[in-house]
Amino acid sequence: PSIGGKDSMSGSFEDLDVPPSLVSFAIATTSAERTVSAAFKKAGSQVIRACVPVEDNGVVAWDDLKDLYNGIFSLAKEGKLLSASVVKEGGAAAALAKMALGNYIGIKAEDPLSPGELYAPASGDLILEVAAGAAIPFTHVPIGVTVEDASITVNGAVIPLHEVEAAYRGTLESVFPTKAKEEKLFMAGGLHHGAPHIGGKRFAAPRVVIPVFPGTNCEVDTARVFELAGGIPEIVVMNNLSSQGIVESIERFKKALDQAQIMMIPGGFSGGDEPDGSGKFIATTLRNPIIRDSVMNLLGRDGLILGVCNGFQALIKTGLLPYGEIRDTAEDDPTLTFNTIGRHISRMARVRITSTKSPWMASYTPGEVQLVPLSHGEGRFVSTEHDAVNLFLNGQVCTQFVDEAGNPTMEIAHNPNGSFCAIEGICSPDGHVMGRMGHSERLIGGACKNVPGNKDFQLFQNGVRYFK
């Protein structure tokens, strides 16, 4: 859905006066199972263009448009609509290029296409990928078929998709870099098989305390996945608007920790990620003597701690990772810092299960590859070679960024933040504290359904199952 800004539609700027206006956006809801992305899905599909019907005077024929949309929706309900993209700036040519780039599936146009058919904006027209052999219940313009060859063939010209991608990405590379100087991969160790994870005291539904700090934005997703896993989540908001608010928040946090079996610090932009580094406010709170004692008591009674993104950063800054205790850290201790490309990244990445030493990793098999969402500006893991070797030898490296073949890599296409030794997640010596950058809590429902790969949220189920 569109999001409108009031300031852009009213008031005055220099010699431009905008009268008071009412801007209304309509939103329709649908099932995630019927939602498709723009990327071509398979070779051999029909590619067609659904054009917005207009009257002779250029006005949209609304009744005909409704019939067209109903026909498209019927294909979606039958599972025969595989992908769809709106024709916008750049016309059908731009839409087709992006659809082909998504999964590197090419297209071959069957008939010649005029410049107008290729490049006219034609706002509202749709380019659709329809299953091979499916009947299309509305008027449309055939374009061609999808092909396994990674190229676009139109009007006798064949353009490899790698050339299309280079042109598409290269335009703004100097402004929004997608590449950085790659370091050589330092191989510090291989896979590590952990022992069976059996908890101490049993709980039908372990309690999970989820502290929310200024800037945290993943607490609802986190509570939901723990609830689905069979735990009892409790969100504790840390109020820093006044000194009294801080005191009361510390008391609430301590009470929740003393009753919990798990502490989970979710992700976000703690304190706006300023100044010069995120997770500092969270780390300061964890170092508060009252909270520090409760956290260490939690671990002392066989509790578990997990930190994702901001949470991982806080666990590193307090020493809970990789040491398993809140302590003073040295300048050369492992830490998390700015991504090598110097900006925030938001994308999916492949990670290999490197160690199952931690109870959080109990259901996984070393070597299997998972797909996780990333969203951070400071996720690059750095350490000395000596510390990295020890982490691998101790089985404390839980996950690593890998390429399509499942091999750890420093290539930014697969290790987008440039983490040393391709490390994505680590745990404490006994495995009870774990941190990672990937947002596994977002992989539920229809999220990322159009992205191929192995996706799950067993991480949270493992934590709850440890106490069952």
Side-chain angles (χ1 to χ4, degrees):
S2 299
I3 299 175
K6 176 184 72 67
D7 292 340
S8 63
M9 294 302 299
S10 63
S12 301
F13 178 73
E14 295 183 345
D15 59 350
L16 176 66
D17 295 307
V18 180
S21 305
L22 172 65
V23 182
S24 175
F25 296 107
I27 302 173
T29 58
T30 186
S31 167
E33 284 69 30
R34 291 197 293 263
T35 303
V36 298
S37 69
F40 287 143
K41 300 301 184 299
K42 62 196 308 185
S45 304
Q46 308 174 71
V47 180
I48 65 172
R49 181 171 186 160
C51 303
V52 174
V54 295
E55 307 285 2
D56 293 339
N57 59 3
V59 175
V60 174
W62 295 109
D63 290 338
D64 292 340
L65 182 63
K66 291 178 183 178
D67 291 340
L68 173 64
Y69 286 164
N70 283 331
I72 295 172
F73 189 55
S74 68
L75 287 177
K77 289 192 292 184
E78 295 169 5
K80 296 176 181 177
L81 181 64
L82 305 184
S83 64
S85 182
V86 180
V87 176
K88 298 185 291 186
E89 300 85 357
L96 289 167
K98 293 177 183 178
M99 296 175 81
L101 286 173
N103 289 320
Y104 255 62
I105 294 174
I107 177 173
K108 183 176 182 179
E110 296 176 332
D111 298 312
L113 298 171
S114 68
E117 292 172 315
L118 281 172
Y119 303 111
S123 299
D125 283 11
L126 297 172
I127 305 296
L128 308 174
E129 178 190 7
V130 181
I136 301 173
F138 51 83
T139 302
H140 62 278
V141 178
I143 293 180
V145 295
T146 55
V147 294
E148 291 185 3
D149 183 49
S151 64
I152 296 175
T153 302
V154 59
N155 295 351
V158 180
I159 310 171
L161 286 182
H162 68 84
E163 292 185 9
V164 178
E165 182 178 11
Y168 181 55
R169 290 182 179 274
T171 303
L172 294 176
E173 181 65 29
S174 61
V175 181
F176 299 106
T178 61
K179 301 175 183 178
K181 182 180 179 181
E182 293 175 2
E183 299 179 14
K184 184 178 180 181
L185 178 65
F186 173 68
M187 295 298 293
L191 303 178
H192 187 280
H193 295 259
H197 299 288
I198 302 173
K201 189 175 180 181
R202 299 288 182 260
F203 296 87
R207 302 184 70 87
V208 185
V209 58
I210 304 170
V212 176
F213 299 89
T216 298
N217 60 19
C218 298
E219 69 275 12
V220 175
D221 290 340
T222 300
R224 181 169 49 184
V225 290
F226 271 115
E227 192 170 26
L228 288 172
I232 302 175
E234 179 183 358
I235 294 176
V236 178
V237 177
M238 305 301 293
N239 179 354
N240 71 333
L241 297 180
S242 66
S243 58
Q244 183 62 28
I246 293 175
V247 171
E248 293 175 354
S249 296
I250 292 294
E251 292 175 353
R252 285 196 301 271
F253 192 10
K254 171 183 166 49
K255 182 179 179 180
L257 281 170
D258 292 344
Q259 297 174 345
Q261 288 71 54
I262 296 173
M263 179 178 73
M264 162 65 190
I265 306 177
F269 294 93
S270 174
D273 282 356
E274 295 292 344
D276 190 29
S278 56
K280 287 185 176 180
F281 183 86
I282 304 174
T284 300
T285 303
L286 295 179
R287 289 184 181 278
N288 176 285
I290 296 174
I291 300 302
R292 180 190 62 209
D293 291 345
S294 289
V295 170
M296 295 312 298
N297 286 336
L298 170 67
L299 292 175
R301 60 178 187 270
D302 205 31
L304 299 179
I305 295 177
L306 178 66
V308 169
C309 196
N310 255 180
F312 186 15
Q313 293 159 344
L315 294 178
I316 284 267
K317 293 179 187 299
T318 58
L320 281 165
L321 287 176
Y323 304 110
E325 63 180 8
I326 297 176
R327 58 190 280 185
D328 293 333
T329 56
E331 287 188 2
D332 60 349
D333 277 343
T335 190
L336 293 162
T337 187
F338 298 98
N339 303 334
T340 51
I341 60 173
R343 63 173 174 82
H344 183 274
I345 59 171
S346 179
R347 53 163 297 175
M348 303 291 286
R350 296 180 190 84
V351 295
R352 180 186 76 172
I353 308 302
T354 301
S355 170
T356 55
K357 181 175 186 176
S358 172
W360 293 105
M361 307 300 292
S363 67
Y364 295 107
T365 301
E368 70 173 284
V369 175
Q370 297 284 329
L371 205 65
V372 296
L374 300 177
S375 179
H376 58 259
E378 300 172 48
R380 177 163 58 103
F381 181 88
V382 294
S383 76
T384 64
E385 292 187 5
H386 177 267
D387 285 340
V389 169
N390 285 335
L391 289 174
F392 277 97
L393 290 177
N394 293 336
Q396 290 180 246
V397 176
C398 300
T399 50
Q400 290 175 278
F401 294 110
V402 294
D403 58 22
E404 290 100 332
N407 298 316
T409 178
M410 294 301 294
E411 292 183 19
I412 197 167
H414 310 292
N415 180 352
N417 52 34
S419 287
F420 185 56
C421 295
I423 293 174
E424 188 264 342
I426 63 173
C427 68
S428 59
D430 64 0
H432 280 221
V433 184
M434 180 183 164
R436 71 178 310 180
M437 291 310 300
H439 287 273
S440 302
E441 76 279 0
R442 300 180 182 180
L443 295 175
I444 61 174
C448 309
K449 66 182 289 290
N450 287 295
V451 183
N454 189 12
K455 306 179 290 290
D456 66 53
F457 56 99
Q458 292 180 43
L459 190 74
F460 308 96
Q461 295 169 326
N462 292 336
V464 170
R465 195 178 296 125
Y466 180 72
F467 297 98
K468 293 284 189 177

